[in-house]
Amino acid sequence: MNVLINPGSGPVGREVSWDNAYENIKAYIADCEIPMRIVSSQHEDDDGRYLFVLRNDEYDYQIEVEMPGLPLESVRYVKGDERNILDFPRLYVDGSSWIWYIGTVKKENVKEILEERAEEMREELYRISGQIKELEDK
């Protein structure tokens, strides 16, 4: 019995290029649910993946994507694809391994992060308001 844990997460293992990775990251950005832009990229490959830092300024949201340097058709697996999902290498998004369509930026994920930030800000505002009241009462 063979057990597969996170297939496609190891080295890409085939001929890769930064040019392929760059074309892939552009397609990845197009598949994201919020606009992203490339902030920086690393041209050295790490097991056949190239690092891109993507950012959305409106939501102050940034991620790192390690994109395989294979041709797009060998990397981009989307929901409903008839090909074998096990044949596709994983992307690393902020260090976690994902298949393409699950690893793209979703509105819901960004919303959750913004909600967490809003709660932290409410707590900080409450703390500061308490300090102001304390100073007024002295």
Side-chain angles (χ1 to χ4, degrees):
M1 173 183 208
N2 291 334
V3 177
L4 294 174
I5 299 174
N6 228 359
S9 62
V12 174
R14 294 178 266 176
E15 183 124 355
V16 297
S17 74
W18 185 86
D19 290 335
N20 283 340
Y22 181 68
E23 291 303 313
N24 295 347
I25 202 70
K26 290 190 308 186
Y28 174 89
I29 289 169
D31 285 353
C32 290
E33 293 181 359
I34 66 167
M36 303 294 289
R37 65 181 174 86
I38 299 170
V39 175
S40 67
S41 64
Q42 197 172 44
H43 292 253
E44 298 82 28
D45 80 280
D46 181 23
D47 289 332
R49 292 176 180 81
Y50 298 80
L51 178 65
F52 293 87
V53 178
L54 307 180
R55 179 166 181 73
N56 175 286
D57 293 322
E58 181 180 358
Y59 301 113
D60 190 25
Y61 181 72
Q62 184 168 301
I63 60 170
E64 291 184 351
V65 179
E66 293 179 53
M67 179 61 69
L70 297 170
L72 181 62
E73 63 274 3
S74 299
V75 177
R76 186 175 181 261
Y77 182 90
V78 294
K79 196 169 189 171
D81 198 320
E82 298 295 321
R83 297 173 292 171
N84 186 344
I85 195 171
L86 300 178
D87 293 337
F88 289 80
R90 298 293 189 107
L91 318 177
Y92 285 92
V93 180
D94 283 340
S96 295
S97 168
W98 299 97
I99 199 70
W100 184 287
Y101 81 90
I102 297 173
T104 56
V105 177
K106 309 283 191 282
K107 290 179 184 177
E108 186 60 33
N109 301 111
V110 176
K111 180 182 172 238
E112 288 173 10
I113 290 168
L114 292 175
E115 288 170 342
E116 289 172 14
R117 282 189 206 155
E119 182 58 32
E120 290 169 4
M121 288 178 179
R122 279 191 287 277
E123 290 171 4
E124 181 67 6
L125 183 58
Y126 181 77
R127 185 187 67 74
I128 292 169
S129 296
Q131 290 175 325
I132 292 169
K133 180 159 178 31
E134 184 181 296
L135 289 170
E136 290 174 343
D137 292 344
K138 287 185 179 181

